[in-house]
Amino acid sequence: MEADRQVLQVLVVEDDPGDVALVESAFAEHNIRSTLHHVADGGEALAFLHRDDPYGDAPRPDLILLDLNMPRVDGRQALVMIKTDDRLKSIPTIVFTTSSSDSDISSSYNAQANAYVTKPLNLDDYERVISEIRNFYGHIVALPGRTSDDEAT
């Protein structure tokens, strides 16, 4: 179990396959051991976090990268549900979205997002931002310890 703690578990909640590929590439290029888990909307994210079918064996993520604009359950709704759930609210959740709207920024922080990052349009900037997020959460911050499987469900 101790070896698992050294692997950064990241849940990427994103409906755009291109953005998922960019995140995967940025995480793969560096020396931080990480496992990325991808779901396409907020409903799937909540199923993953609660270990509902088909995610019964899902690990508790150390970090969530959450897009806002998705079908079904969008990131705004998912963020509120994550941050009002006592079992999930300690997971650092970064809103990572194309929106730079003041209302989206304010409402995300009001819903207890840990950070709000607007996706850069330039590919190099995009990779740099993901690298900085990865380095910050992989090297600098102390993350909440994982609970046992019984306590996390």
Side-chain angles (χ1 to χ4, degrees):
M1 180 63 98
E2 189 60 31
D4 288 343
R5 286 188 178 277
Q6 296 173 0
V7 176
L8 188 66
Q9 299 288 333
V10 181
L11 177 59
V12 179
V13 187
E14 172 63 63
D15 64 322
D16 184 327
D19 282 345
V20 173
L22 288 172
V23 171
E24 288 173 343
S25 174
F27 269 86
E29 289 181 12
H30 299 279
N31 63 353
I32 295 173
R33 292 181 57 218
S34 56
T35 302
L36 286 124
H37 308 274
H38 169 249
V39 294
D41 65 48
E44 286 184 45
L46 293 165
F48 183 97
L49 292 166
H50 290 125
R51 296 181 177 152
D52 295 336
D53 284 336
Y55 305 105
D57 294 331
R60 179 179 172 87
D62 298 306
L63 175 66
I64 300 170
L65 290 177
L66 178 66
D67 188 24
L68 288 184
N69 301 311
M70 297 177 289
R72 292 190 342 128
V73 178
D74 71 15
R76 293 163 192 84
Q77 296 165 304
L79 178 62
V80 168
M81 290 184 235
I82 291 166
K83 292 302 184 175
T84 57
D85 185 322
D86 287 338
R87 297 169 296 165
L88 304 175
K89 67 183 177 184
S90 67
I91 301 171
T93 304
I94 299 173
V95 172
F96 188 58
T97 187
T98 56
S99 173
S100 58
S101 156
D102 287 338
S103 64
D104 281 340
I105 294 167
S106 294
S107 65
S108 293
Y109 280 115
N110 286 336
Q112 305 303 310
N114 296 88
Y116 190 102
V117 179
T118 302
K119 293 176 186 174
L121 299 177
N122 174 291
L123 180 61
D124 290 335
D125 290 340
Y126 193 105
E127 289 181 357
R128 179 187 52 78
V129 166
I130 291 294
S131 293
E132 289 178 9
I133 291 169
R134 186 207 56 247
N135 288 336
F136 184 70
Y137 284 94
H139 286 303
I140 296 172
V141 302
L143 294 168
R146 295 185 192 146
T147 58
S148 73
D149 287 348
D150 294 336
E151 293 171 328
T153 57

